[in-house]
Amino acid sequence: MRKIFYILITLIITSCTTAEIPLVGEIPSDRKVSYNTDIQPIIFNNCLTCHSSVNPANGLILETYTQVRNSAENGTLIQRLNDAANPMPQSGLLTPDRRALFDKWKVEGYPEN
Ligand code: HEC
């Protein structure tokens, strides 16, 4: 009984470590980066406390695809994400893979879905 238990535990542990669990913020190589899947959750978690329609910092609202795309395409969103001296969010740069997602999104033409 005990032996079976250990075998089971070993199986569970090895299957967990070898299984491909997609991480949020990981850069997909097999598909395009999309606003809905990749970009929106990052904006939601890191930007909306200051850039929602309720008292938006600098008047910049980042609630919709159009608003985020406009700031990335015509504004300074991507520059500020990567500006170590003056980062957005103000608390510090996001992780490199999250910032790279925005770069890939830009290269691919800012897909929404
Ligand atoms: C703690 C509040 C706060 C958070 C969180 C925050 N911002 Fe800002 N943001 C500001 C303030 C205040 C300004 C205006 C002053 C400045 O430019 O530094 C600003 C300015 C900006 C600007 C330049 C001004 C403009 O109108 O285009 C961009 C782009 C920007 N933020 C994007 C973001 C993004 C993207 C995130 C999330 C990754 C984010 N911000 C998170 C407070 C915040």
Side-chain angles (χ1 to χ4, degrees):
M1 190 58 205
R2 180 165 262 203
K3 209 171 189 178
I4 293 170
F5 177 75
Y6 283 123
I7 290 171
L8 264 179
I9 289 293
T10 312
L11 272 177
I12 289 167
I13 290 170
T14 51
S15 68
C16 283
T17 49
T18 55
E20 296 220 18
I21 302 160
L23 299 168
V24 174
E26 193 176 70
I27 304 139
S29 54
D30 54 340
R31 62 170 178 86
K32 287 192 171 178
V33 168
S34 83
Y35 172 76
N36 286 330
T37 307
D38 307 287
I39 302 298
Q40 199 274 338
I42 300 177
I43 299 282
F44 184 87
N45 288 327
N46 299 285
C47 316
L48 286 188
T49 45
C50 303
H51 293 290
S52 73
S53 48
V54 182
N55 194 22
N58 218 46
L60 178 66
I61 303 173
L62 298 174
E63 284 175 346
T64 66
Y65 167 73
T66 309
Q67 289 161 345
V68 174
R69 177 178 177 158
N70 184 50
S71 181
E73 203 172 9
N74 308 312
T76 56
L77 191 150
I78 292 177
Q79 283 101 296
R80 293 298 298 272
L81 276 183
N82 295 293
D83 186 346
N86 199 12
M88 280 294 142
Q90 293 167 320
S91 52
L93 293 174
L94 297 177
T95 56
D97 59 344
R98 292 208 173 142
R99 286 181 282 130
L101 275 173
F102 283 81
D103 296 333
K104 191 167 186 276
W105 187 53
K106 177 182 174 178
V107 168
E108 289 167 351
Y110 309 102
E112 182 170 9
N113 296 301

